[in-house]
């Protein structure tokens, strides 16, 4: 379906909603495009989007929709895989505002929540009382409780606590015809009272009772008695033995019956101590055979992964540091035990391992008692969906048959038969999932772009459904039916029960306006496909090379699979703007969706690269590159943004801030000779205001002060004899990259690096001519100029590049250019490839020297040993944090690596006025700035990125050190003498420098300005 401008009926509805709601009403093409799909293969453009602020807004919105005859779809995190979260309806997005924890009662073990609350928010609050909400899907850090209720979600610890349906006590719901009521378990007396009271509520309960009485026998007969029966409506919850539990009957209805306004959830004990045992078997089938024996040991989690998944991770370079934790094998089980004490949990794991050791097919075992190592292994399991998508050299894989469940005791036999079925169709996929409950996840390389491929897919799922039913299983064991499996439900339940489902929906939604076409009377599995046989996207030529996507920007825009990891609210880096706005369009997923829509060239995309909706979504992208490393499918929004902006502004002027910040290298070169005058302008009231207004700088920001002497000027003024000294210097050479910020603004950092590198036994080379990697240019799409800058660098450094001389970048963003942007702009240049391989952060190079015997000096205990490290986003994306950590350990520091996300400054982003400044500060206040303020006064604050150091300096009363300065201070403390600032060292004679670089032993400058307060 094309995205078209809202017609008159939709415009009238939108106007009425805007008049009556406090929340946000969005019927524009861009907003509708954002919600046109979920995590599934399906795409249906909504009528409009409503973001309600409270339950009153929801009531008013549904009432307006009813008056206009518009369908309604309530949506949580939008990660559903069966198509239930997209429809031609008015979408209600609860995740921005309606996410309160209304009440937590630890004594009764209950919590009341609004539907938009993220699962981890509830779990973190409950953990204070050693309680938790048991079901925990892999999306636990971004999925909402409302979405979990809609899908009847499960997760790893459903083995301990059951499905969502087993953990719901009451629901407050709203029907399409306007009835708001609270539902739960219903005694016979209460049921009679409700029916006797009459009215719409009495009518509903009367019809539910009659439905139960007609179909009770068939429900008992046809519903599989397995842990993971998620398919179909929960009519079994209306049976007398289940207490006529109306709330639980509504769980798993996928917004097809009612809208949930509030939920009362049950909480279970959360074992405070946990131990993970990892078992390696010959293959995944033998691993599945062992499930019943392992279940006898009462684990709280039992997951499985196969060798194909591990192979895919290695091909993608994903979690390489974590895969080594797995014991030998071709199929693995992750078995988690929980207990009140660590000793008890460890003992249970060891006893299980000992019991398994003597039988046939005995596994290799590793008991992991370290929480950090266990977390790493769980990250491997949780990234399975993304890890199996877009694997280099493999056909693209998709959901479509990804969560069937069978009795756990039959799992091994089922998997063997399932693999034979896959082989008969020539399909390849991974096998992983919740083995302890017989639920298997997989992504299969279906062809959804040709009619024969789609027909083959339909034939496969038909036979796969027959196989699951033959094993007494459920077509869905976690993700629900939606559109993907609804047409197959008669195979599992029979036509008569399908009629009961239709009656159940009609009791609640007689007009069939709640998420129509899903679960009941559903679209066919091959309707509304996001791709489909007609998929022919615009695939324009690009300035960056997208090698991982076969050089195709259309394929790059297709890369997002909708798992929504970019929507998490804590941990990692991505997506900083979403964390502070909670807006879908400010998530990596939202931006990727709009780029996809742009390439369809319907209403979104009619203007090609000049598409304003895409530009607006990219405006608050900080280009942090968090998605490049943290997104399971490596969506690289920073690169997509640079490419888009290069075309968007082609032939037109950019905003003044683009020239002020993008050309910072040239402005700094012009101003540096008159640094005192320039600093006077930017520091004097009124004059500073004028300068900031002209450059587009936020008035709240301080313009960084230019150094009186640049690093390169300091380097050139060293004794000339040393620079021209004859003789051979046996020390290995290294190029120190004098980036714009550490040359013009913080030269003391580069000076410290020289001292440290020489102390490590290296001969330092510095380029003779001013060069810039051009990193700020990418944020404004100035790719032609950026390419010229890179060609200048290669020309200037070519002799050293070809000699294999390593280059050390002090600024992580510069390293990101050499490792990431340069190969995209110069994909066929051999020197660019060489420089990419020869470029290092200071920590990476020194860690290599340390491995060869060099050791940094110990940090003096008298100076305090505590340190707080804020890694730069680009460091996380393209560098090695372990190298920095190893040096801090060798220094003897008690350090903490902040998991604070992006600092918010992000180069020029945080300096720009308006919304960017506001987002920048809100990003900083999420974690980084409070952590710095709370740090002890004797703690060292470490940050290698200029942006991070500047955000800390402007947002707190602390100053951060670069690693080079920290090591310099340690060296000087060890030496016992600190030269006065600017005092030259005696020159060290060395070999004559090359044409491209100059070499000398530097004078040192005290770093006291950045010492810990």
């Amino acid at each position: 379906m094309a995205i078209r401008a809202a017609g008159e009926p939709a415009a009238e509805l939108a106007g009425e909603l805007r008049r009556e709601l406090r929340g946000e009403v969005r019927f524009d093409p861009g907003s509708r495009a954002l919600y046109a799909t979920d995590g599934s293969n399906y795409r249906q453009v909504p009528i409009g989007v409503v973001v309600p602020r409270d339950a009153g807004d929801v009531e008013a919105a549904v009432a307006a929709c009813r008056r206009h005859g518009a369908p309604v779809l309530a949506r949580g995190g939008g990660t559903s895989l069966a198509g239930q979260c997209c429809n031609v309806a008015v979408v209600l997005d609860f995740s921005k505002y309606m996410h309160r924890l209304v009440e937590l009662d630890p004594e009764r073990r209950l919590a009341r929540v609004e539907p938009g609350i993220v699962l981890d928010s509830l779990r973190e609050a409950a953990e204070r009382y050693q309680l938790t909400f048991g079901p925990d899907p892999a999306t636990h850090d971004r999925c909402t409780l409302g979405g979990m209720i809609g899908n009847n979600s499960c997760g790893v610890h459903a083995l301990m606590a059951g499905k969502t349906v087993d953990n719901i006590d009451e629901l407050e719901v709203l029907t399409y015809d306007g009835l708001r009521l609270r539902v739960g378990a219903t005694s016979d007396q209460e049921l009679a009272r409700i029916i006797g009271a009459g009215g719409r509520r009495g009518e509903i309960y009367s019809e539910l009772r009659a439905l139960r009485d007609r179909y009770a026998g068939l429900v008992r007969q046809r519903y599989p008695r397995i842990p993971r029966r998620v398919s179909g409506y929960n009519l079994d919850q209306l049976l007398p033995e289940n207490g006529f539990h109306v709330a639980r009957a509504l769980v798993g209805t996928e917004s097809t019956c009612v809208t949930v306004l509030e939920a009362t959830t049950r909480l279970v004990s959360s074992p405070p101590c946990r131990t993970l045992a990892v078992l390696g078997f010959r293959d995944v089938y033998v691993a599945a055979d062992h499930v019943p024996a392992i279940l006898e040991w009462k684990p709280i989690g039992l997951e499985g992964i196969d060798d194909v998944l591990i192979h895919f991770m290695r091909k993608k370079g994903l979690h390489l540091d974590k895969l080594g934790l797995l014991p030998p094998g071709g199929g693995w089980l992750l078995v988690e035990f929980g207990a009140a004490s660590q000793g008890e949990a460890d003992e249970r794991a060891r006893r299980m391992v000992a019991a398994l050791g003597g039988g046939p097919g005995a596994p290799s075992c590793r008991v992991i008692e370290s929480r950090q190592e266990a977390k790493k292994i769980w990250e491997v399991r949780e990234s399975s969906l993304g890890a199996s998508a877009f694997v280099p050299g493999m056909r693209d894989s998709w959901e479509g048959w990804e969560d069937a469940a069978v009795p756990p005791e039959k799992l091994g036999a089922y998997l063997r038969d399932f693999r034979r079925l896959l082989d008969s169709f020539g399909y390849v996929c991974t096998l992983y999932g919740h083995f302890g409950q017989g639920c298997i996840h997989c992504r299969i390389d279906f062809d959804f772009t040709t009619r024969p491929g789609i027909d083959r897919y339909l034939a496969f799922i038909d036979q796969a459904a027959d196989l699951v039913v033959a094993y007494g299983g459920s077509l869905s064991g976690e993700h629900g039916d939606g559109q993907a499996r609804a047409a197959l439900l008669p195979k599992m339940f029979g036509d008569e029960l399908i009629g009961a489902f239709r009656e159940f929906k009609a009791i609640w939604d007689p007009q069939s306006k709640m998420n129509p076409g899903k679960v009941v009377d559903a679209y066919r599995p091959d309707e509304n496909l996001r791709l489909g046989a007609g998929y022919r996207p615009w695939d324009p030529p690009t300035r960056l090379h997208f090698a991982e996507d076969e050089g195709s920007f259309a394929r790059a825009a297709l890369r997002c699979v909708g798992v929504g990891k970019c929507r998490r609210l804590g941990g990692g880096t991505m997506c900083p703007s979403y964390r502070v706005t909670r807006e879908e369009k400010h998530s990596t997923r939202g931006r990727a969706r709009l780029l996809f829509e742009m390439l369809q060239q319907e209403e979104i995309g009619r203007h090609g690269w000049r598409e304003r909706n895409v530009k607006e979504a990219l405006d608050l992208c900080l280009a942090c590159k968090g998605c490049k490393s943290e997104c399971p499918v490596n969506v690289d929004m920073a690169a997509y943004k640079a490419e888009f902006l290069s075309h968007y502004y082609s032939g037109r002027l950019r905003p003044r801030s683009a020239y002020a910040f993008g050309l910072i290298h040239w402005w700094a070169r012009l101003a540096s000779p008159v640094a005192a005058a320039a600093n006077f302008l930017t520091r004097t009231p009124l004059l500073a205001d004028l300068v900031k207004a002209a450059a587009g700088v936020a008035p709240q920001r301080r313009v960084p002060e230019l150094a009186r002497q640049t690093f390169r000027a300091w380097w050139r003024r060293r004794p000339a004899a040393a620079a021209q000294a004859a003789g051979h210097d046996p020390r290995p050479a290294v190029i120190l990259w004098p980036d714009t910020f550490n040359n013009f603004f913080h030269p003391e950092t580069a000076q410290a690096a020289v001292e440290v590198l020489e102390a490590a036994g290296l001969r330092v080379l510095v380029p003779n001519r001013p060069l810039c990697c051009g990193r700020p240019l990418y944020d404004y799409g100035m790719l032609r100029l950026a390419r010229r800058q890179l060609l200048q660098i290669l020309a200037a450094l070519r002799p050293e590049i070809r000699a294999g001389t390593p280059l050390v970048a002090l600024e992580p963003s510069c390293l990101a250019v050499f490792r990431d942007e340069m190969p995209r702009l110069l994909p066929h240049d051999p020197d660019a490839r060489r420089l990419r391989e020869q470029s290092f952060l200071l920590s990476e190079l020194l860690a290599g020297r340390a491995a060869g015997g060099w050791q940094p000096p110990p940090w003096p205990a008298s100076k305090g040993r505590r340190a707080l490290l804020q890694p730069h986003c680009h460091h996380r994306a393209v560098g090695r944090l372990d190298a920095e950590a190893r040096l801090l350990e060798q220094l003897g520091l008690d350090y903490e690596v902040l998991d604070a996300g992006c600092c918010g400054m992000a180069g020029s982003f945080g300096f720009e006025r308006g919304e960017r400044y506001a987002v920048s500060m809100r990003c900083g206040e999420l974690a980084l700035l409070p952590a710095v303020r709370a740090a002890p006064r004797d703690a060292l604050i470490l940050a290698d990125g200029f942006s991070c150091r500047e955000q800390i300096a402007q947002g707190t009363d602390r100053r951060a050190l670069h690693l080079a300065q920290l090591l310099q201070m340690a060296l000087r403390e060890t030496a016992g003498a600190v030269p006065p600032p600017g005092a030259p060292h005696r020159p060290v004679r060395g070999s004559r420098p090359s044409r491209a670089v100059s070499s000398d032993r530097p004078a040192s400058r005290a770093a006291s300005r950045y010492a810990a307060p």
Side-chain angles (χ1 to χ4, degrees):
M1 172 183 290
I3 299 178
R4 306 188 188 282
E8 185 176 342
E12 290 177 2
L13 172 58
E16 184 172 335
L17 288 167
R18 291 189 182 100
R19 288 191 298 270
E20 298 195 9
L21 270 61
R22 295 173 57 245
E24 294 150 22
V25 178
R26 302 167 182 170
F27 278 53
D28 61 283
S31 296
R32 294 164 61 221
L34 285 167
Y35 291 83
T37 189
D38 46 15
S40 73
N41 299 318
Y42 300 101
R43 173 179 177 265
Q44 291 179 278
V45 181
I47 298 167
V49 178
V50 170
V51 186
R53 286 188 176 270
D54 52 30
D57 267 1
V58 180
E59 286 190 274
V62 172
C65 289
R66 182 170 64 252
R67 288 190 289 272
H68 289 262
V72 171
L73 164 60
R75 172 165 157 149
T79 60
S80 296
L81 299 178
Q84 56 266 62
C85 278
C86 56
N87 213 327
V88 183
V90 173
V91 173
L92 303 175
D93 183 352
F94 292 100
S95 62
K96 183 174 182 180
Y97 296 121
M98 291 185 65
H99 50 72
R100 289 187 308 141
L101 172 56
V102 180
E103 180 185 9
L104 197 153
D105 187 339
E107 292 186 3
R108 297 171 60 212
R109 296 191 172 191
L110 295 175
R112 282 199 301 131
V113 299
E114 291 182 321
I117 190 171
V118 169
L119 172 59
D120 273 3
S121 298
L122 170 60
R123 295 204 305 167
E124 287 164 11
E127 282 291 350
R128 292 197 289 268
Y129 307 97
Q130 291 191 5
L131 298 172
T132 191
F133 185 79
D136 57 344
T139 55
H140 54 82
D141 55 2
R142 65 266 193 195
C143 69
T144 68
L145 261 292
M148 292 180 68
I149 291 166
N151 284 353
N152 194 9
S153 298
C154 305
V156 173
H157 294 106
L159 185 65
M160 170 181 77
K163 306 184 291 291
T164 296
V165 68
D166 304 311
N167 294 274
I168 295 299
D169 201 57
E170 288 185 342
L171 294 177
E172 185 176 2
V173 300
L174 176 70
T175 64
Y176 186 80
D177 55 17
L179 178 66
R180 181 171 174 176
L181 69 163
R182 187 171 291 275
V183 296
T186 319
S187 67
D188 290 341
Q189 296 82 0
E190 186 180 5
L191 179 58
R193 181 184 60 78
I194 293 171
I195 294 172
R200 177 68 175 122
R201 187 185 186 205
E203 175 188 331
I204 289 172
Y205 274 71
S206 176
E207 292 180 3
L208 289 176
R209 183 177 65 178
L211 179 76
R212 176 201 66 184
D213 293 343
R214 283 197 305 276
Y215 294 104
L218 201 55
V219 167
R220 294 186 181 103
Q221 175 189 337
R222 293 298 299 258
Y223 274 49
R225 292 179 176 85
I226 60 173
R228 287 293 187 100
R229 196 277 305 158
V230 170
S231 277
Y233 288 152
N234 289 325
L235 301 187
D236 55 327
Q237 294 295 334
L238 298 178
L239 297 175
E241 56 267 34
N242 293 324
F244 201 82
H245 207 305
V246 179
R248 292 183 178 182
L250 288 169
V251 170
T253 54
E254 303 179 13
S255 190
T256 61
C257 294
V258 297
T259 298
V260 175
L261 302 176
E262 187 178 282
T264 301
T265 71
R266 293 188 176 181
L267 304 174
V268 297
S269 293
S270 177
C273 300
R274 304 187 182 201
T275 300
L276 180 65
V278 186
L279 311 178
F281 296 87
R282 183 179 71 244
D283 55 41
V284 72
Y285 314 108
V286 175
D289 292 337
H290 280 75
V291 164
I294 293 171
L295 287 174
E296 293 179 7
W297 293 93
K298 307 296 183 188
I300 63 173
L302 176 50
E303 302 289 291
I305 54 179
D306 72 353
D307 58 331
V308 180
L309 179 66
I310 301 306
H311 174 63
F312 284 177
M313 287 187 178
R314 293 190 190 281
K315 290 196 74 168
K316 295 181 74 169
L318 187 66
H319 297 311
L320 296 181
D321 59 325
K322 300 161 186 169
L323 299 182
L325 297 172
L326 298 174
W332 293 266
L333 293 179
L334 315 181
V335 191
E336 186 178 56
F337 291 94
S341 69
Q342 193 62 54
E344 182 184 353
D346 295 346
E347 179 61 22
R348 291 175 65 186
R350 293 194 190 99
R351 288 173 60 199
M352 180 203 68
V353 167
L356 294 173
S364 57
C365 305
R366 182 169 183 190
V367 176
I368 297 177
E369 300 170 11
S370 161
R371 281 183 176 266
Q372 283 301 108
E373 289 191 350
K375 182 181 177 183
K376 290 180 179 180
I377 291 181
W378 283 122
E379 286 173 356
V380 170
R381 165 62 187 88
E382 289 177 356
S383 65
S384 300
L385 189 157
S388 55
F390 294 94
V391 179
M394 305 296 294
R395 294 193 300 259
D396 294 342
S397 63
W398 308 96
E399 54 278 343
W401 191 261
E402 78 287 339
D403 73 325
V406 299
E409 63 272 15
K410 299 180 180 179
L411 184 59
Y414 165 74
L415 286 180
R416 291 178 176 91
D417 283 345
F418 183 60
R419 179 62 76 184
R420 280 190 282 271
L421 178 62
L422 288 163
D423 291 344
S424 72
F425 278 83
Y427 288 139
V428 175
C429 77
T430 60
L431 298 173
Y432 63 94
H434 312 291
F435 279 35
Q437 294 191 308
C439 180
I440 300 302
H441 295 316
C442 57
R443 286 178 64 88
I444 302 174
D445 54 344
F446 297 125
D447 171 11
F448 285 122
T449 61
T450 68
R451 190 65 247 177
I454 294 168
D455 290 341
R456 193 156 144 261
Y457 154 73
L458 293 174
F460 171 80
I461 64 173
D462 187 69
Q463 294 183 38
D466 289 337
L467 179 63
V468 170
V469 171
Y471 271 93
S474 175
L475 305 185
S476 172
E478 182 150 36
H479 300 148
D481 300 314
Q483 178 178 344
R485 283 172 282 277
L488 300 169
L489 290 179
K491 289 176 176 285
M492 178 177 168
F493 292 103
D495 291 338
E496 195 172 353
L497 274 181
I498 296 301
F501 293 166
R502 190 174 292 114
E503 290 180 43
F504 182 79
K505 174 179 170 61
I507 291 170
W508 296 99
D509 178 29
Q511 298 181 60
S512 193
K513 294 295 186 180
M514 294 298 301
N515 202 12
K518 307 301 163 85
V519 185
V520 171
D521 298 322
Y523 296 104
R524 299 189 313 272
D526 60 334
E527 289 185 274
N528 306 314
L529 288 172
R530 185 170 173 235
L531 303 183
Y535 178 64
R536 298 291 185 275
W538 176 46
D539 200 1
T542 58
R543 292 175 179 135
L544 295 174
H545 183 60
F546 296 93
E548 65 277 19
D549 290 301
E550 303 169 4
S552 166
F553 191 73
R555 180 174 165 80
L558 184 62
R559 179 170 286 270
C560 176
V561 296
V563 296
K565 194 173 182 181
C566 48
R567 285 172 54 99
R568 65 186 179 185
L569 300 175
T573 303
M574 71 168 183
C575 184
S577 49
Y578 174 79
R579 290 187 187 184
V580 300
T581 67
R582 291 198 182 219
E583 287 281 0
E584 178 72 18
K585 77 174 180 179
H586 295 145
S587 69
T588 303
R589 182 179 72 177
R591 294 172 180 129
R593 293 299 197 227
L594 285 174
L595 286 168
F596 172 87
E597 295 291 345
M598 179 188 82
L599 299 179
Q600 306 318 299
Q601 293 199 297
E602 295 172 354
E603 185 163 349
I604 296 295
R606 288 185 306 173
H607 304 292
W609 289 117
R610 297 287 174 89
E611 180 52 59
R612 186 69 191 175
N613 289 284
V614 178
K615 167 64 166 53
E616 289 175 357
L618 291 172
D619 272 344
L620 294 187
C621 172
L622 283 77
C624 66
K625 293 182 181 285
C627 48
K628 181 179 177 64
S629 59
E630 295 177 12
C631 170
V633 289
N634 307 114
V635 169
D636 189 354
M637 194 51 61
Y640 306 167
K641 175 183 177 180
E643 182 68 43
F644 176 85
L645 291 179
S646 73
H647 298 279
Y648 183 85
Y649 285 117
S650 182
R652 56 163 76 166
L653 286 173
R654 290 171 167 82
R656 63 182 183 275
S657 58
Y659 303 103
F661 297 116
L663 306 180
I664 184 65
H665 175 70
W666 289 270
W667 294 121
R669 284 181 63 185
L670 286 172
S672 182
V674 288
N679 291 334
F680 176 79
L681 283 174
T682 59
R683 298 286 163 155
T684 303
L686 298 181
L687 291 176
D689 293 341
L690 291 173
V691 170
K692 286 189 279 189
V697 176
Q700 301 92 332
R701 289 293 189 191
R702 295 193 304 272
V703 177
E705 188 174 351
L706 284 163
R708 295 296 182 92
Q709 182 186 48
T710 68
F711 167 72
R712 294 187 70 256
W714 171 84
W715 178 265
R716 287 195 305 269
R717 289 176 179 148
R718 313 289 298 291
Q724 300 174 2
H728 176 69
D729 188 337
R731 295 178 301 173
V734 60
I735 302 169
L736 179 62
W737 181 252
D739 63 88
T740 297
F741 300 106
N742 289 313
N743 179 46
F744 292 107
F745 297 96
H746 289 179
E748 63 273 16
T749 302
Q751 293 169 20
V754 171
E755 187 172 333
V756 171
L757 289 167
E758 290 192 333
L762 297 165
R763 176 166 54 94
V764 178
L765 311 177
V766 175
N768 278 331
R769 57 180 293 189
L771 298 169
C772 177
C773 71
R775 181 64 193 83
L777 300 171
Y778 298 89
D779 295 336
Y780 302 100
M782 298 178 173
L783 296 185
R784 289 194 174 98
L785 182 55
R787 189 174 188 274
R788 288 203 297 269
Q789 292 294 105
L790 292 175
L791 290 172
Q792 289 176 9
I793 291 169
L794 295 180
L797 301 184
R798 187 162 283 120
E800 297 298 337
I801 292 172
R802 293 183 176 177
T805 306
L807 179 146
V808 170
L810 300 176
E811 174 59 44
S813 288
C814 296
L815 181 76
V817 170
F818 296 138
R819 287 188 178 173
D820 191 20
E821 279 89 1
M822 184 170 63
R824 289 189 183 277
L825 277 173
L826 304 171
H828 308 299
D829 191 309
D831 286 330
R833 288 197 293 272
R834 293 184 184 107
L835 182 55
R836 177 187 186 182
E837 299 302 318
Q838 294 165 213
S839 297
F840 303 91
L841 289 171
L842 179 66
S843 57
E844 294 173 344
L845 188 85
L846 292 178
R849 297 292 292 171
W854 173 82
Q855 293 289 320
W859 183 256
S862 61
K863 296 291 183 181
R865 292 190 179 276
R866 285 174 292 186
L868 210 61
L869 172 62
Q870 166 66 6
H872 190 283
C873 295
H874 292 177
H875 189 167
R876 291 183 185 272
V878 303
R880 289 173 43 210
L881 277 179
D882 63 316
E884 198 120 351
R886 194 174 306 126
L887 288 173
L888 296 179
E889 289 169 2
Q890 291 169 345
L891 284 165
L893 289 171
D894 178 15
Y895 68 93
E896 175 189 354
V897 180
L898 286 175
D899 189 14
C902 180
C903 73
M905 187 65 84
S908 63
F909 183 94
F911 279 101
E912 294 193 45
R913 64 174 55 237
E915 194 173 12
R916 289 192 170 190
Y917 169 76
V919 168
S920 167
M921 292 308 299
R922 289 172 66 189
C923 285
E925 293 294 349
L926 286 174
L928 171 62
L929 299 180
V932 170
R933 294 186 195 112
R937 300 304 296 183
D938 64 345
L940 296 159
I941 311 298
L942 303 176
D944 286 355
F946 172 83
S947 296
C948 304
R949 296 199 301 275
E950 199 63 31
Q951 181 79 312
I952 291 168
Q954 298 207 25
T956 73
D957 63 350
R958 306 294 294 272
R959 296 292 183 271
L961 289 164
H962 191 285
L963 176 68
Q965 295 171 291
L966 176 71
L967 292 169
Q968 179 194 50
M969 292 165 64
L971 286 168
R972 292 181 174 185
E973 289 289 339
T974 302
V978 180
H985 283 228
R986 185 176 61 187
V988 175
R989 297 183 182 276
S991 58
R992 185 166 56 227
S994 71
R995 174 180 62 84
V997 294
S998 63
S999 170
D1000 202 351
R1001 182 168 182 173
S1004 296
R1005 176 175 171 179
S1008 57
R1009 175 184 175 193
Y1010 290 88

